Amino acid sequence: MASHEPPVSTDIHERPVDLLRELIRFETVNPPGDEKPCIDWIGDLFEAYGVEYDTYARDPDRPNLLARVPGGDAPPLLLYGHVDVVPVTDQEWTHDPFEGVLEDGYVWGRGALDMKSGVAMFLATALRVAAEDEQPAGDVLFLALSDEEGGGDDGAAFLVEEHPELFDDVEYALGEFGGFDMEIAGVESHPIQVNEKQVCWLEVTFRGQSGHASLPISGTAMGKMASFVRQVDGERLPVHVTPPAERMFESLADELPDAHGERLQALLDPERTDDVLDEMGADGAMFDALLHNTANVTRVRGGDKENVVPEEVTAFLDCRLVPGQEPDDVVRELEALTGMDLDVEVVRFDPGPPAADMGLFDELAGHLENATGGVAIPLLMPGGTDGRHLAKVDVQSYGYIPMQLGELPFLELVHSGDERIPAETVEWGAERVYEAVRAYDG
Ligand SMILES: [Zn+2]
């Protein structure tokens, strides 16, 4: 836990890099998170700028903070980010991951990319708008969340369940994941996340002949589970072409020379999807995930004695469903694949909207394209963010943490040792967010 008491000054909105370095110095490693000192500090900043805010907590050590910078009659624009970070255990670091070191042009530390830099950009923007005389078109809401890396039960999931009224008039939000430069299918692009796959956890229970392990026994629960796992392993479930995937692939295809563009288009033809993915090999893994429900067995449970054949064994499945699909759908697909009649309990399902509301996309894409000369692509995400929770209260999130990372591989550094970000791009990103907030008029 960081014990430092960083100064609170009313010009810090001009220094997003300093904001980031201060944020990194709070050791908000999740678990346990311990986000309170960091959230309190953000509260002090808003206080110093004369902005009203409230905190909401299920666990008092893990509050969430919502500040409101007043604006005109347009619907509010929400800027949100999580302040918790993943652990640094067993990782090599050049600099202490919680010192906020600025060296060689980089800010080093856990959260430099995911996502204290984004929080710093949003915070700098909210404070800057508050410090200026000109009112924004609508209120600017800033939301700092706990517990994203743990699933959001103390963060975004808690807020939308217990305080949905906070989001009553909010249509659009900026958050994770996107805005940085990334090569997708050979296209230099700035992805903006508009939708994500839905987390669906299943427990499948197998029952069979039990008895003393000294006797020959067949038709055991273990045997049935093993057969299930073997059949699911590496097999694709049926193809689903969804509107968000269609939009994403078509945007990419537009940027590619004929043959490559046609290959991406072919992915959208269910008759050809799997053949094209086979040709693409490892390069197609992300596209594969965006065009199918996936099911991976991540844990099994059963048996507690060496010499007893258990009657019951349970396999735990982490399934990710494409937008519009429900748990029943993937269960049906698994039954068809394995020919088994499955006894399934849905342990968790985070439903998301079947299609994205693209209302703010063109505007955001325009800002990024003007500033970079690149192309912005609407992104359907294989993984999950807090966006899925906010979707439950009809808030459309756009992944918009603008960064120019150049050679720095975002996906390799996130959650890894030596996570770092060019200091320059923190300033640049904050400027892009500010520009988007000022241009937004509902
Ligand atoms: Zn994150």
Side-chain angles (χ1 to χ4, degrees):
M1 228 282 307
S3 58
H4 77 297
E5 294 257 321
V8 168
S9 66
T10 48
D11 60 1
I12 198 160
H13 66 274
E14 293 165 11
R15 292 176 281 115
V17 171
D18 287 347
L19 274 171
L20 171 59
R21 298 177 68 195
E22 294 293 2
L23 288 167
I24 288 173
R25 290 174 188 143
F26 292 99
E27 279 194 43
T28 50
V29 173
N30 186 8
D34 204 3
E35 295 94 342
K36 189 171 190 304
C38 183
I39 295 284
D40 284 349
W41 180 69
I42 293 173
D44 290 346
L45 286 176
F46 280 111
E47 180 109 44
Y49 277 74
V51 175
E52 286 185 17
Y53 70 92
D54 272 304
T55 57
Y56 306 86
R58 187 166 78 164
D59 174 343
D61 291 329
R62 315 196 65 184
N64 304 278
L65 176 148
L66 181 67
R68 184 177 291 264
V69 181
D73 296 334
L77 181 63
L78 171 65
L79 314 177
Y80 72 93
H82 63 90
V83 299
D84 62 319
V85 292
V86 295
V88 294
T89 332
D90 298 327
Q91 294 179 348
E92 298 274 343
W93 283 84
T94 308
H95 301 285
D96 184 322
F98 301 106
E99 259 184 30
V101 171
L102 174 60
E103 205 171 288
D104 302 327
Y106 294 107
V107 178
W108 303 70
R110 175 53 82 231
L113 293 169
D114 181 14
M115 68 164 287
K116 285 178 170 170
S117 46
V119 173
M121 292 173 197
F122 292 160
L123 191 50
T125 296
L127 296 173
R128 179 172 168 187
V129 172
E132 291 173 342
D133 293 332
E134 189 198 339
Q135 263 205 345
D139 293 353
V140 176
L141 306 185
F142 170 89
L143 175 61
L145 292 161
S146 291
D147 197 30
E148 191 268 351
E149 301 289 1
D153 287 348
D154 284 317
F158 156 76
L159 278 185
V160 304
E161 274 152 34
E162 300 297 323
H163 301 281
E165 74 285 352
L166 295 175
F167 306 99
D168 271 354
D169 48 356
V170 184
E171 271 176 70
Y172 297 128
L174 307 187
E176 287 186 293
F177 168 105
F180 52 88
D181 43 342
M182 181 187 185
E183 202 187 285
I184 308 179
V187 179
E188 279 304 334
S189 59
H190 283 259
I192 297 177
Q193 180 188 324
V194 294
N195 210 329
E196 58 193 69
K197 286 186 81 181
Q198 312 168 93
V199 176
C200 174
W201 290 345
L202 304 178
E203 270 187 5
V204 185
T205 300
F206 301 88
R207 290 187 187 79
Q209 198 61 45
S210 64
H212 197 283
S214 62
L215 299 170
I217 301 173
S218 63
T220 62
M222 284 289 180
K224 290 175 186 170
M225 183 195 69
S227 153
F228 172 81
V229 173
R230 216 174 24 239
Q231 292 186 78
V232 169
D233 186 55
E235 283 299 322
R236 285 198 189 100
L237 296 172
V239 178
H240 299 284
V241 176
T242 60
E246 213 160 356
R247 174 105 193 213
M248 174 180 167
F249 289 22
E250 275 167 2
S251 302
L252 285 169
D254 283 350
E255 300 302 318
L256 287 166
D258 285 354
H260 289 88
E262 277 161 22
R263 199 153 80 141
L264 274 187
Q265 291 281 6
L267 284 174
L268 297 172
D269 172 2
E271 301 278 294
R272 298 167 68 193
T273 306
D274 288 350
D275 289 340
V276 178
L277 286 171
D278 287 340
E279 279 168 32
M280 293 174 98
D283 289 345
M286 182 173 89
F287 300 124
D288 196 332
L290 299 181
L291 293 164
H292 303 85
N293 296 328
T294 57
N296 280 297
V297 179
T298 53
R299 242 179 25 221
V300 293
R301 187 178 65 226
D304 52 8
K305 206 161 177 333
E306 288 75 4
N307 60 355
V308 177
V309 175
E311 196 178 313
E312 215 176 88
V313 178
T314 301
F316 189 95
L317 272 75
D318 183 348
C319 304
R320 304 299 173 104
L321 312 188
V322 300
Q325 290 274 299
E326 309 252 346
D328 282 352
D329 297 317
V330 74
V331 172
R332 245 192 321 270
E333 293 179 351
L334 289 167
E335 288 186 331
L337 175 68
T338 60
M340 296 168 112
D341 194 8
L342 299 174
D343 176 355
V344 177
E345 191 188 334
V346 180
V347 183
R348 171 169 203 149
F349 178 52
D350 293 331
D357 173 348
M358 298 293 281
L360 197 56
F361 181 82
D362 288 341
E363 195 176 308
L364 294 174
H367 293 309
L368 270 186
E369 289 174 352
N370 284 340
T372 64
V375 56
I377 302 287
L379 180 74
L380 167 62
M381 264 277 281
T385 70
D386 277 336
R388 72 185 187 280
H389 300 302
L390 289 163
K392 289 181 195 160
V393 286
D394 293 328
V395 173
Q396 170 66 48
S397 295
Y398 296 90
Y400 198 76
I401 315 286
M403 296 177 192
Q404 292 190 296
L405 298 173
E407 296 293 283
L408 217 58
F410 183 94
L411 295 176
E412 280 166 44
L413 285 174
V414 164
H415 294 199
S416 304
D418 278 349
E419 184 178 350
R420 62 192 183 278
I421 186 170
E424 250 181 15
T425 211
V426 179
E427 311 250 352
W428 182 84
E431 200 56 40
R432 299 284 80 74
V433 172
Y434 173 80
E435 161 188 85
V437 167
R438 277 294 180 195
Y440 174 76
D441 56 8

